[in-house]
Amino acid sequence: MSTELTESDVPSPTGPASAPSRRTFIATTTAVGGIAVAGGLVAGPPPLGVEEAAAAEATPSGRVSLTVNGKRHTITVDNRTSLLDLLREHLGLTGSKKGCNAGACGACTVLVDGRRVNSCLTLAVRLEGAEVTTVEGLAPGGEDGELHPLQAAFVEQDAFQCGYCTPGQIMSGVGCIQEGHTGSAEEIREWMSGNICRCGCYVKIVRAVEQTARGK
Amino acid sequence: MSPQPQAAVGAPLSRVDGRLKVTGRATYAADHDIKGAVHAVVVDSTIARGRVTGIDTRAALALPGVLKVISHLNAPRLAYRDDPNLNNPPGRRLRVFQDDKVLFHGQPVAVVVATALETAQHAASLVKIGYDAQSPSTDMSGSDRTNEPATYARGDADGAIGSAAVRLEMAYRTARNHHNAMEPQATVARWDGDRLTLWDKTQWVLGTQNELASVFGLPPESVRVISPFVGGGFGTGVRTWPNVTVAALAAREVGRPVKLVLTRKQLYFAVGYRPVYEYGVRLGSDRRGRLTAMTHDVRAETSTYEDFTEAILVAGRMLYSMPHVSQTYRRVPLDVNTPTWMRGPGYANASFAIESALDELAHEIGVDPIELRRRNEPDDDESSGLPFSTRRLRDCYTTGAREFGWHRRNPKPRSTRDGDWLIGTGMATGVYDVLRSPAQARVRLDADGTALIESGTSDMGPGTYTSMTQVAADALGLTMRNVTFRLGDSRMPPTPPHGGSQTMGTVGSAVQDGCDTVRRQAIRLAVEDRESPLYGVDPDGIVVRAGRLHVKDNPVRGETYQRLLARNERTHLETLGSFQPGESRFSMYAYSATFAEVAVDASLGLVRVRRMLGVCDAGRIISPKLADSQALGGMVGGIGTALLEHTVTDHRDGRIVNANLADYLVPVNADIPDLRAIFIDGEDLEAAPIGVKGLGEVVHIGVAPAIANAVFHATGRRVRELPITAEALL
């Protein structure tokens, strides 16, 4: 089976890329089970163990090129792999959370081509050419730089407790603001209702979205 | 109390771990990237009672990438030692893969391990299990069996009710609820020889360490549990469930680290839940509402293999004054998995019955519900004879009534309309025990003027990282940024479980004790050091601010920790702080009064909460910004219990019908109006040296009955079963 991995830096829709180097990307990617990586493009030891290679061969897979947080990935992926599992298990981006794996809680919300989607219900293989933004790619300044205004508003308003739903809430809030569904607290509540917060921080989530929408 | 100036404590600070949480860099259990980890998926039984007769793993094992299928047919026998330090209920805990018996629907009967998650999931679906199924008993109402009841009595309740001027008898029922924390139970298990490391979702690293040590027959020091972030708990992580054993067993069997994340569906049977309650109340009072007697007949579900009990009876003995009380608490063993504590355990269910009953009495005799409660306010704890340490419940009523606008209320039910909506208001009281257990914290002040505090506690959301940093900063006299608080590692000093609202009081007091000790060490070093500007000063007259020790009344005379330690060639000062509760001569509880306004669609029965106010007497508030979030969150949880949450079992086969977040309804953003919380000022130094009583439970207890009472006021219909559904109001 032909497998390959290529990558090239492309401009991020949300700001300058703070993506890992090619070397670190390969290092994280080769630790996975569901993705096959081409030996021809990768120096060093074979990236897949015997078991992984066998698994990849046995299951229907497809090749897809997509951009995640400004970083281009061309990968062969198990057709069953969701975008969420691609991010978490294969690309090392564990900010997006698995809460229900059935599209009911919103903890996995990311932006695909600027729209908010439940990444657990999105098959990775159908994302040819897509631009994906996760919570890790939201802050333009990288890990210690300036936060996205909505991230800062979440901290300021204390719009979370345990923090597990927070990446999804923030990505959904970014989508909500971009869509213009922020005319009133009632409208925000309605359009943020795809994201469950079991700690019950809704009042403050609405305040954070409201504050950020006003500051736009 | 500390002689130190209070700067960080009481200030509305943002979370110290906020940045990690909003950037996706806080690492929950399944986020830990452990080299070489493979994936495990549990196969659940599809019967609720019987035996496994055969397991066909051929199709699963034929899939490339499947490493092993483990079941009772090939699993090693595990030690399953009894350990008195664990908080497992009496009985014999579920022993995974040790025999062919099935005790409840969804019991783990096999686990598949594969190199890729998708492969493991597919393979688990290919494992065929044969059963010898028996008809299960899962419906509490239909079962006559009960375990040995717990009882309590004072006076002659039956006699007093028989001769009372006003007599009421009601039967209440509350549904089974599931915690549904957003983070599922998840474990990464790795063996290094005989040493086991677990990255786990838990509210008690020490408990998980001891449970796994006892299951595998290891010394506790061979097991390390790491849990820096917990994605919500609400009680589900206080006990260690079988999934952790399954992960560790699978890792040992395949010789590789294993990651096991339960599915949302599995969280409805692989871990515990708040049990179904039937709660019968009879009461007697005089015509002015002065209670003379109350009886409480309580039934709750438990499993056949463990007898789960919780504090359902306490509120009925001490919340209101009356000479005669009789209580019986029966657990009904069913073919279900064992229940567990869920936010406001026991008290929340009792409060629905008791606070609804009080509201029914108020209506019956035409007395205002708040006035009725005032008339029955006790002078001391009538169940123990002890005085209350603090009880600011009257203040909660007064403040709540004023801020909510209670005086505008027309007491007549179904008297207020807004278009199609019937409008009603209601209130209820909440009470929760102050739990006190030993706790420790290691405190180290370094020569560079920064401090590191470590304690094996947890932060499932209330903000332990932040509030402990606040306590430490003030006690050491450092700025927040020079203090680091770490938690969530079983190698750190021991603490009680992070549940039951006890973390702030117990761990907080240990942190303060350790920081006070280190500060005093530094002060002593200074006053005995001839080269120190503080030489010879009375140690009690020295305070520390922003890392500088100085004479309290003469700030110019002093020096920094850094200079003091450097000159004395000390790299650091260190101690182990502790909280060791003694025998108390006081009755210690946190209190709350919750007020709710609801609108009920007159023709559709739809209930919407319009506004809500919670007023709490939780003792001293350490971190007001975070306490406010916790209080509002408690109300949101209560709205769920009152109007939405209900685990439904198909009693034919014991299957949970709505084991997902689309059918088990929890509040979403659109369900929640503006909520407000007020804290009644005041510390309780009997409850804890830092003056706190505990917050997380009491802000939730009383919410559901406040809503139920408001629904009655709106509609004139008394609903005695939770959740209150549209059907009940049509």
Side-chain angles (χ1 to χ4, degrees):
Chain A
M1 186 171 71
S2 166
T3 59
E4 68 175 51
L5 180 146
T6 60
E7 59 175 331
S8 57
D9 288 315
V10 295
S12 161
T14 54
S18 61
S21 70
R22 172 176 171 161
R23 188 174 299 273
T24 57
F25 169 71
I26 291 167
T28 51
T29 313
T30 52
V32 310
I35 292 189
V37 182
L41 288 170
V42 183
L48 285 187
V50 176
E51 295 151 348
E52 287 89 342
E57 276 175 35
T59 53
S61 54
R63 204 172 127 198
V64 61
S65 293
L66 76 169
T67 304
V68 180
N69 298 334
K71 191 84 176 168
R72 183 75 176 270
H73 303 279
T74 298
I75 48 180
T76 299
V77 61
D78 187 321
N79 285 356
R80 300 168 296 186
T81 302
S82 66
L83 173 57
L84 177 61
D85 285 334
L86 174 75
L87 295 169
R88 289 184 55 81
E89 304 296 336
H90 304 318
L91 300 185
L93 295 169
T94 53
S96 307
K97 303 302 181 198
K98 188 179 283 189
C100 71
N101 213 27
C105 79
C108 66
T109 306
V110 301
L111 300 182
V112 175
D113 297 329
R115 292 181 172 199
R116 45 180 169 160
V117 303
N118 288 322
S119 62
C120 74
L121 291 186
T122 306
L123 289 173
V125 74
R126 61 165 274 241
L127 293 177
E128 180 60 37
E131 303 254 4
V132 177
T133 307
T134 73
V135 73
E136 291 96 336
L138 201 55
E143 283 200 359
D144 297 314
E146 200 184 327
L147 295 173
H148 183 282
L150 187 58
Q151 290 173 315
F154 263 64
V155 174
E156 185 190 329
Q157 296 291 346
D158 204 39
F160 54 92
Q161 290 178 56
C162 81
Y164 194 81
C165 75
T166 308
Q169 299 279 0
I170 288 174
M171 298 315 290
S172 197
V174 169
C176 183
I177 293 167
Q178 282 173 3
E179 295 155 18
H181 292 131
T182 54
S184 65
E186 287 70 32
E187 190 181 11
I188 294 171
R189 280 177 198 144
E190 205 63 43
W191 287 87
M192 287 298 289
S193 279
N195 292 76
I196 295 172
C197 171
R198 192 58 165 151
C199 298
C201 302
Y202 296 126
V203 170
K204 297 179 179 187
I205 290 169
V206 171
R207 283 182 203 155
V209 172
E210 222 168 12
Q211 169 185 325
T212 307
R214 267 205 315 269
K216 254 181 83 171
Chain B
M1 286 297 283
S2 170
Q4 277 288 103
Q6 180 173 307
V9 171
L13 305 179
S14 294
R15 284 168 203 266
V16 297
D17 53 345
R19 187 183 181 90
L20 284 177
K21 287 184 173 177
V22 299
T23 55
R25 287 187 290 124
T27 46
Y28 302 84
D31 299 343
H32 291 279
D33 183 19
I34 306 305
K35 195 171 183 300
V38 295
H39 298 268
V41 173
V42 173
V43 180
D44 317 307
S45 81
T46 54
I47 65 164
R49 186 179 178 195
R51 285 176 51 246
V52 174
T53 54
I55 300 180
D56 183 348
T57 60
R58 284 172 298 183
L61 289 170
L63 284 185
V66 172
L67 301 176
K68 191 151 189 173
V69 181
I70 305 163
S71 69
H72 74 281
L73 297 177
N74 60 352
R77 299 306 96 175
L78 300 175
Y80 274 105
R81 284 192 316 237
D82 285 327
D83 184 340
N85 297 317
L86 294 171
N87 52 11
N88 297 335
R92 186 180 190 272
R93 64 198 190 280
L94 188 77
R95 301 183 175 194
V96 283
F97 312 148
Q98 299 297 292
D99 59 37
D100 62 356
K101 290 190 186 63
V102 176
L103 303 176
F104 59 89
H105 198 286
Q107 177 184 321
V109 289
V111 62
V112 176
V113 191
T115 50
L117 177 61
E118 294 81 2
T119 308
Q121 287 166 341
H122 184 210
S125 74
L126 297 178
V127 176
K128 291 195 184 73
I129 314 281
Y131 297 102
D132 173 11
Q134 297 167 17
S135 176
S137 169
T138 59
D139 184 1
M140 185 171 79
S141 305
S143 176
D144 296 330
R145 284 181 60 199
T146 60
N147 295 340
E148 179 68 27
T151 59
Y152 169 83
R154 69 169 179 258
D156 172 17
D158 286 332
I161 290 171
S163 59
V166 181
R167 285 176 292 222
L168 294 179
E169 180 168 358
M170 288 80 59
Y172 300 95
R173 185 184 166 89
T174 54
R176 191 194 278 199
N177 283 181
H178 272 85
H179 309 73
N180 274 307
M182 295 316 299
E183 182 194 19
Q185 250 69 15
T187 310
V188 185
R190 186 183 72 198
W191 292 88
D192 300 286
D194 284 338
R195 287 181 301 118
L196 173 63
T197 305
L198 299 160
W199 291 263
D200 188 47
K201 176 190 173 145
T202 175
Q203 290 171 242
W204 198 25
V205 288
L206 185 67
T208 302
Q209 177 193 27
N210 284 330
E211 170 76 10
L212 269 286
S214 74
V215 168
F216 284 91
L218 299 168
E221 54 272 21
S222 296
V223 181
R224 182 181 182 189
V225 181
I226 299 169
S227 181
F229 289 96
V230 178
F234 318 109
T236 186
V238 172
R239 186 179 178 188
T240 304
W241 301 101
N243 60 294
V244 186
T245 295
V246 172
L249 177 63
R252 205 172 68 173
E253 290 298 295
V254 302
R256 292 173 71 164
V258 162
K259 182 195 262 195
L260 171 53
V261 183
L262 293 186
T263 64
R264 180 57 56 181
K265 181 182 176 185
Q266 287 170 333
L267 295 173
Y268 289 82
F269 40 74
V271 301
Y273 52 88
R274 191 198 296 278
V276 170
Y277 275 101
E278 293 170 353
Y279 197 121
V281 174
R282 289 185 300 136
L283 65 81
S285 90
D286 68 17
R287 292 254 167 239
R288 298 189 63 250
R290 187 71 181 82
L291 290 164
T292 54
M294 220 164 166
T295 67
H296 310 253
D297 286 300
V298 183
R299 278 161 54 89
E301 61 184 330
T302 188
S303 66
T304 55
Y305 54 96
E306 287 175 318
D307 188 17
F308 172 75
T309 60
E310 59 186 341
I312 187 77
L313 297 181
V314 180
R317 294 173 196 171
M318 52 65 65
L319 184 53
Y320 298 111
S321 172
M322 71 196 79
H324 308 283
V325 176
S326 168
Q327 297 182 308
T328 311
Y329 172 23
R330 295 182 175 86
R331 281 88 54 218
V332 180
L334 298 170
D335 298 313
V336 298
N337 60 312
T338 307
T340 198
W341 306 279
M342 182 167 162
R343 199 168 195 177
Y347 288 82
N349 303 75
S351 82
F352 173 63
I354 295 169
E355 295 302 304
S356 294
L358 266 279
D359 202 64
E360 299 205 38
L361 176 62
H363 176 69
E364 177 75 21
I365 59 176
V367 173
D368 176 78
I370 295 177
E371 175 56 26
L372 178 70
R373 286 166 173 81
R374 288 183 186 279
R375 287 179 189 176
N376 289 289
E377 183 71 3
D379 294 327
D380 54 22
D381 183 337
E382 294 178 357
S383 70
S384 64
L386 296 175
F388 294 114
S389 56
T390 54
R391 177 164 163 135
R392 303 181 179 98
L393 194 45
R394 284 191 181 90
D395 296 342
C396 292
Y397 294 146
T398 304
T399 302
R402 184 185 67 233
E403 296 299 315
F404 191 74
W406 187 257
H407 64 279
R408 291 194 298 269
R409 182 183 197 251
N410 179 346
K412 191 168 180 295
R414 214 179 171 96
S415 59
T416 308
R417 254 190 120 101
D418 179 0
D420 289 339
W421 297 90
L422 302 169
I423 310 301
T425 53
M427 60 80 59
T429 303
V431 59
Y432 191 75
D433 203 353
V434 176
L435 303 181
R436 292 159 22 112
S437 306
Q440 295 184 346
R442 188 177 301 112
V443 178
R444 180 189 157 115
L445 174 69
D446 279 305
D448 65 357
T450 66
L452 173 67
I453 296 98
E454 292 184 323
S455 180
T457 185
S458 178
D459 188 350
M460 61 175 158
T464 315
Y465 281 110
T466 307
S467 55
M468 297 303 164
T469 306
Q470 287 173 278
V471 169
D474 280 0
L476 287 169
L478 293 175
T479 57
M480 288 283 285
R481 80 163 64 94
N482 283 330
V483 177
T484 301
F485 181 80
R486 290 198 190 130
L487 53 73
D489 189 328
S490 59
R491 289 185 177 171
M492 295 173 180
T495 71
H498 177 52
S501 302
Q502 62 186 322
T503 300
M504 194 71 250
T506 63
V507 180
S509 293
V511 168
Q512 176 167 287
D513 175 61
C515 293
D516 280 346
T517 301
V518 165
R519 189 189 71 249
R520 285 193 207 102
Q521 285 174 13
I523 290 172
R524 199 171 66 214
L525 199 61
V527 300
E528 292 174 358
D529 177 359
R530 288 178 181 280
E531 291 175 46
S532 170
L534 294 168
Y535 176 67
V537 175
D538 174 9
D540 292 340
I542 296 174
V543 295
V544 189
R545 285 177 214 255
R548 186 172 171 278
L549 303 82
H550 67 80
V551 177
K552 193 175 181 183
D553 303 325
N554 181 16
V556 180
R557 185 174 175 188
E559 66 173 331
T560 62
Y561 280 133
Q562 282 158 283
R563 281 194 56 178
L564 174 69
L565 267 63
R567 193 174 60 249
N568 285 275
E569 294 178 348
R570 302 287 282 269
T571 58
H572 64 278
L573 301 174
E574 187 172 14
T575 196
L576 190 64
S578 68
F579 170 64
Q580 186 67 48
E583 193 83 353
S584 177
R585 296 164 289 105
F586 290 91
S587 169
M588 294 174 284
Y589 292 89
Y591 298 93
S592 65
T594 304
F595 297 77
E597 178 180 313
V598 302
V600 183
D601 189 298
S603 37
L604 299 177
L606 184 68
V607 182
R608 304 286 295 167
V609 177
R610 284 200 164 183
R611 63 192 176 104
M612 198 172 259
L613 168 68
V615 187
C616 305
D617 163 25
R620 185 175 174 218
I621 298 299
I622 300 294
S623 191
K625 187 171 186 171
L626 279 52
D628 184 66
S629 295
Q630 200 177 13
L632 303 196
M635 290 183 227
V636 172
I639 290 171
T641 303
L643 301 175
L644 300 168
E645 298 187 37
H646 183 191
T647 306
V648 180
T649 305
D650 185 335
H651 296 304
R652 293 172 303 178
D653 61 2
R655 181 178 58 100
I656 307 297
V657 176
N658 58 341
N660 61 75
L661 285 173
D663 297 313
Y664 180 100
L665 301 180
V666 300
V668 298
N669 209 318
D671 294 318
I672 302 305
D674 267 334
L675 307 172
R676 187 180 169 206
I678 298 173
F679 301 109
I680 301 293
D681 280 339
E683 63 195 21
D684 187 331
L685 295 175
E686 290 295 330
I690 61 167
V692 309
K693 296 204 281 189
L695 186 62
E697 321 301 317
V698 81
V699 293
H700 174 76
I701 296 159
V703 175
I707 292 169
N709 294 340
V711 167
F712 171 75
H713 184 236
T715 64
R717 291 279 286 276
R718 176 63 61 181
V719 182
R720 299 193 179 95
E721 180 168 351
L722 297 183
I724 298 169
T725 60
E727 298 93 293
L729 293 168
L730 290 178

